[in-house]
Amino acid sequence: MLHTTRTSRRTFLLTSAAAALMVGLTGARRAFAAEPIKTAGIYTVPVEQQWVSRIHKAAVTAQERGDIDYSFSENVSNTDYARVLREYAEAGNTLIIGEVFGAEQEAREVAAEYPEVAFLMGSSFKEDPALPNFAVFDNYIQDASYLSGIIAGSMTESGNIGMVGGFPIPEVNRLMHAFMAGAREMNPDITFQVSFIGSWFDPPKAKETAFAMIENGADILYAERFGVSDAAQEKGILAIGNVIDTQADYPETVVASAIWHFEPTLDKAIAEVQAGTFTAADYGVYSFMKEGGTTLAPLGTFEGKVPQEALDLVAEREAAIRDGSFTVEINDEEPTSSS
């Protein structure tokens, strides 16, 4: 039996509706189309969690258009990850996606046992040519993080910004550094409070950490984790989102967000599997802005509230990022608070 594949009323209705839609729209054409790729997702956190939600969303979208047949497991512990990987491989899945940050070696050992299965995994490490069926990806959304920093830098009055992250790993560090660089474009004297809560999903702890930063003078918070925007909302200050757009939940709080779009990454893998050309590669580039992997969320409720000087710089830098004339630095080192 596969590990805890969640079947909820929401999932049932979604997949049923998608199936009905595909039958209705494509009819006989499906007989000539490639069979959907049997695909599994394995996640160590709930699919509602920011980072994983973007992978899950892209997979559901691919299933709706008939490219994959998708099932998933969530809340899989790192110690159980290899077993679940193996079970999905044994069940006939030909593409397995997930995140192996806490189970790197074990996951690669399983992949070596199933050379006919394509593994596309979030990883802090690079691909290994000796393991040709194991590709890696990461959320390289530093482009949009930098742009969101420009907006934050224009909105802070105290010149003190608080930043709450999960763990100081490359995929978090690079986004924080890019955000900080953007903020300094507007004010080179801005100071930053930086803290990591040691968890990917602990909203109460993130909220508590954010409260301490507000007490210490921060008037804008970088919400890398859930819980930070709650603190900002309660204290009446602003926040900048990460990976997903939460402005609808915090309409008077979240000014801007750097959004991650996993679709370009997954679609590339699907095409390679369909063509029989999937191999070890670094899919990180498909998260770049010029590849459609990241965007700055619409200002929404903050339209007309962001200084025009900042908006002009955002537009100028975004155009330059897209045409390749400006590159946001990728700095994976752990960021620290201003001295």
Side-chain angles (χ1 to χ4, degrees):
M1 179 180 293
L2 297 178
H3 179 86
T4 333
T5 299
R6 185 174 68 178
T7 303
S8 64
R9 183 173 183 273
R10 178 190 67 179
T11 306
F12 175 79
L13 291 175
L14 178 64
T15 53
S16 298
L21 181 63
M22 289 305 300
V23 170
L25 291 180
T26 61
R29 285 189 296 130
R30 289 296 293 145
F32 302 100
E35 284 296 310
I37 297 167
K38 191 173 182 182
T39 302
I42 309 176
Y43 312 119
T44 61
V45 292
V47 292
E48 286 82 9
Q49 189 260 9
Q50 289 151 285
W51 200 83
V52 161
S53 73
R54 308 307 290 176
I55 303 172
H56 181 66
K57 176 179 180 292
V60 170
T61 298
Q63 176 168 259
E64 287 175 346
R65 67 173 183 250
D67 284 346
I68 66 174
D69 178 11
Y70 173 59
S71 59
F72 68 96
S73 295
E74 57 186 344
N75 293 316
V76 178
S77 68
N78 288 326
T79 55
D80 210 24
Y81 206 90
R83 181 185 68 80
V84 180
L85 270 176
R86 190 172 283 108
E87 287 187 350
Y88 272 121
E90 289 286 345
N93 289 278
T94 53
L95 174 61
I96 299 179
I97 57 179
E99 17 92 36
V100 295
F101 300 105
E104 284 279 352
Q105 186 59 38
E106 298 88 344
R108 292 176 187 244
E109 289 172 0
V110 172
E113 297 173 20
Y114 299 91
E116 74 285 357
V117 178
F119 293 81
L120 178 65
M121 293 290 164
S123 170
S124 293
F125 297 90
K126 295 301 182 182
E127 74 280 11
D128 180 359
L131 192 60
N133 63 322
F134 192 96
V136 298
F137 68 85
D138 211 339
N139 62 324
Y140 282 88
I141 63 170
Q142 66 282 342
D143 297 329
S145 295
Y146 167 81
L147 298 179
S148 72
I150 293 175
I151 292 175
S154 74
M155 298 292 282
T156 178
E157 295 179 0
S158 68
N160 185 328
I161 296 178
M163 307 183 70
V164 181
F167 292 93
I169 62 172
E171 27 292 307
V172 174
N173 298 344
R174 72 176 65 110
L175 306 187
M176 285 189 164
H177 278 296
F179 172 87
M180 294 162 81
R184 290 190 181 111
E185 289 272 21
M186 300 307 297
N187 179 359
D189 296 323
I190 284 177
T191 59
F192 300 92
Q193 301 177 58
V194 180
S195 185
F196 298 92
I197 63 171
S199 172
W200 291 131
F201 195 72
D202 191 345
K205 188 171 183 179
K207 185 177 181 180
E208 177 185 345
T209 303
F211 277 145
M213 291 180 172
I214 297 169
E215 287 293 320
N216 200 33
D219 68 348
I220 290 186
L221 297 175
Y222 177 77
E224 199 271 327
R225 292 292 100 196
F226 279 150
V228 178
S229 294
D230 294 292
Q233 180 174 252
E234 286 189 24
K235 294 297 184 178
I237 70 168
L238 302 177
I240 301 292
N242 180 59
V243 176
I244 61 175
D245 185 3
T246 58
Q247 193 184 79
D249 298 318
Y250 309 94
E252 304 304 319
T253 303
V254 175
V255 184
S257 299
I259 309 302
W260 183 32
H261 305 285
F262 189 67
E263 286 80 0
T265 302
L266 181 58
D267 291 352
K268 173 65 174 177
I270 289 171
E272 296 291 348
V273 171
Q274 289 173 334
T277 53
F278 186 91
T279 190
D282 183 356
Y283 278 59
V285 65
Y286 299 107
S287 289
F288 283 31
M289 182 168 278
K290 63 183 180 181
E291 298 291 340
T294 185
T295 58
L296 190 64
L299 291 176
T301 55
F302 281 86
E303 281 286 354
K305 300 178 183 179
V306 177
Q308 191 60 45
E309 178 188 5
L311 297 180
D312 291 344
L313 183 57
V314 165
E316 176 188 332
R317 289 285 194 262
E318 180 172 348
I321 289 168
R322 291 185 182 278
D323 69 22
S325 60
F326 182 85
T327 301
V328 176
E329 180 186 5
I330 296 174
N331 183 350
D332 288 347
E333 295 178 4
E334 181 176 345
T336 58
S337 298
S338 302
S339 56

